[in-house]
Amino acid sequence: MKIHFFFAFLTTQNHLSESPEPIKMMVIVGNNVRFSGPNDPSQYPTVSWVFSNHHNANIVNYLIAGGAPRGEATPAYQDRILSYAAAQTFVLLEVKEADTGIYNLIVTDSNITLKHVELSVFNDLLRPHISSNSNRENSVIALTCTVSTKVQSITWFAAGIKFLDKRFSLIDNNRTLIINMAQQSDSGTYTCLVENPFARASSFFQLTIKRLPFATAHPPPDGTPGNNLGTRIDNANPSPIDTAMSS
């Protein structure tokens, strides 16, 4: 199941206005994003737009010399931007998830930051995949929800099962649901819902807890009577069960 949500500000080009506060933008992969310069570019003869993620990278440098503004894009961005030197503005074309990060407009001489833009780029959501490490009674079961793209939230649901039980816990940013000392009553349909600001997708998994087999007791060699109740066999390395997904 996939449902798309589109925000009013999402257009072919997303315009960013000047503000003393950080400007936050969220867009879908493939859109163009406009990064606007200051209200009066003539006050700042030399400025640079810089992208900061794990490291800083200059995008384009603007210079007002002899009254004629000009801009020079760095090699990595020459084919990725449209530049408007008079406005100290550029448009980043067909954004990718890797473009997520912070964009600063910096005055070259004084190192003053004029603009601070936080861009988050999200891919279209694909259906997540749910897997389990075990289906044995009294074992620790881990249901893991795997998604190939960046998401904002992961939520688990279960039909007819009480998550208030202390045996249930979530780890790895809600990607994995842990069931301690699994019981047959924990059998049921588990659903993983993933969301970002523009879409949501889900998958379900049918978990059936299997009771451990009992071994038949044999009389010991010395003739001493055996234990009529039998001996439980614990499977220390249960094999993975088949996964089930549906839209």
Side-chain angles (χ1 to χ4, degrees), residues 129-136 140-146 154-159 161 163 168-180 182 186-192 203-209 240-244:
H129 174 81
I130 303 176
S131 59
S132 173
N133 68 322
S134 174
N135 66 341
R136 297 295 187 182
V140 177
I141 293 179
L143 298 180
T144 300
C145 181
T146 304
I154 298 176
T155 308
W156 286 90
F157 300 91
I161 297 171
F163 272 4
F168 291 83
S169 61
L170 292 168
I171 62 172
D172 192 21
N173 293 324
N174 288 8
R175 293 182 184 275
T176 301
L177 172 64
I178 300 294
I179 309 173
N180 286 298
D186 298 329
S187 298
T189 302
Y190 291 78
T191 301
C192 171
S203 291
F204 71 84
F205 184 90
Q206 187 65 40
L207 178 65
T208 301
I209 307 298
I241 63 173
D242 294 333
T243 58

Side-chain angles (χ1 to χ4, degrees), residues 2 11 14 24 39 72 76 85 94 171 183 200 202 241:
K2 191 186 300 181
T11 59
N14 300 277
K24 296 185 179 182
N39 287 335
E72 182 178 348
E94 298 183 357
I171 62 172
Q183 306 298 312
R200 58 171 57 183
S202 64
I241 63 173

